[in-house]
Amino acid sequence: MAFDSSVRITDIAIIVATILGPILAVWASDYRRKREELRERKAKIFRTLMATRSLPVAPAHVEAINQIELEFSSNNSADRAVIEAWRMYRAHLDTSMESNPSWGPRRLELHTNLIVAVSTAMKYGFSQADILRGIYYPTAHSDADYDNYRARKLLLE
């Protein structure tokens, strides 16, 4: 009985598949997990912005605004649009509201544009009208917030 010691291409392919198969499977699984985690972090930012859109100084809202630059940092066009809207919003927040009577309406416009950009990047499809119309903020909460603000101001004076 003669022993064939020649190596065929199929033998090499089987060896390569045996070695690379598990490595590629782990890599693909890790890549998928990281993409899902990033998507969830982006979704959390969107949920927070939507839930706190009538409370722009709420700590959760400020935290979500500050996370945008980190989480939407890929180079795809949707993330770039989010970053551009975020930059415009941040630049406006750094201007003085006392000397500009249109500061509030412009802030709301830029804020809404930012949420729409995040919505588009996440493929949720909310429009500006959806974002503006869907706000629920009871008058009692508004009154309480204003009373707290006034009380703090009086206390400081």
Side-chain angles (χ1 to χ4, degrees), residues 1-18:
M1 178 191 287
F3 180 71
D4 183 12
S5 64
S6 63
V7 178
R8 288 175 268 162
I9 292 179
T10 55
D11 297 334
I12 294 172
I14 290 172
I15 292 170
V16 168
T18 303

Side-chain angles (χ1 to χ4, degrees), residues 26-44 71-72 74 76 79 121-124:
V26 168
W27 176 82
S29 176
D30 189 49
Y31 176 76
R32 182 175 175 223
R33 180 187 54 79
K34 286 179 181 176
R35 282 191 56 186
E36 288 172 357
E37 287 174 359
L38 176 61
R39 176 154 178 80
E40 180 53 36
R41 289 192 308 269
K42 288 178 176 183
K44 183 180 180 203
E71 302 300 345
F72 289 87
S74 78
N76 68 45
D79 278 9
M122 298 299 298
K123 296 182 173 70
Y124 290 149

Side-chain angles (χ1 to χ4, degrees), residues 33-107:
R33 180 187 54 79
K34 286 179 181 176
R35 282 191 56 186
E36 288 172 357
E37 287 174 359
L38 176 61
R39 176 154 178 80
E40 180 53 36
R41 289 192 308 269
K42 288 178 176 183
K44 183 180 180 203
I45 289 170
F46 178 75
R47 286 191 305 269
T48 302
L49 291 175
M50 287 293 284
T52 61
R53 63 187 178 244
S54 63
L55 304 166
V57 295
H61 187 83
V62 173
E63 184 177 317
I65 293 290
N66 286 326
Q67 289 175 344
I68 287 173
E69 185 179 30
L70 176 66
E71 302 300 345
F72 289 87
S73 61
S74 78
N75 205 21
N76 68 45
S77 61
D79 278 9
R80 283 195 311 267
V82 170
I83 294 298
E84 182 59 29
W86 174 81
R87 284 184 178 138
M88 291 182 68
Y89 182 60
R90 288 289 320 274
H92 182 71
L93 292 178
D94 290 338
T95 63
S96 173
M97 72 171 77
E98 283 83 24
S99 62
N100 187 354
S102 64
W103 189 92
R106 179 70 175 147
R107 186 208 64 80

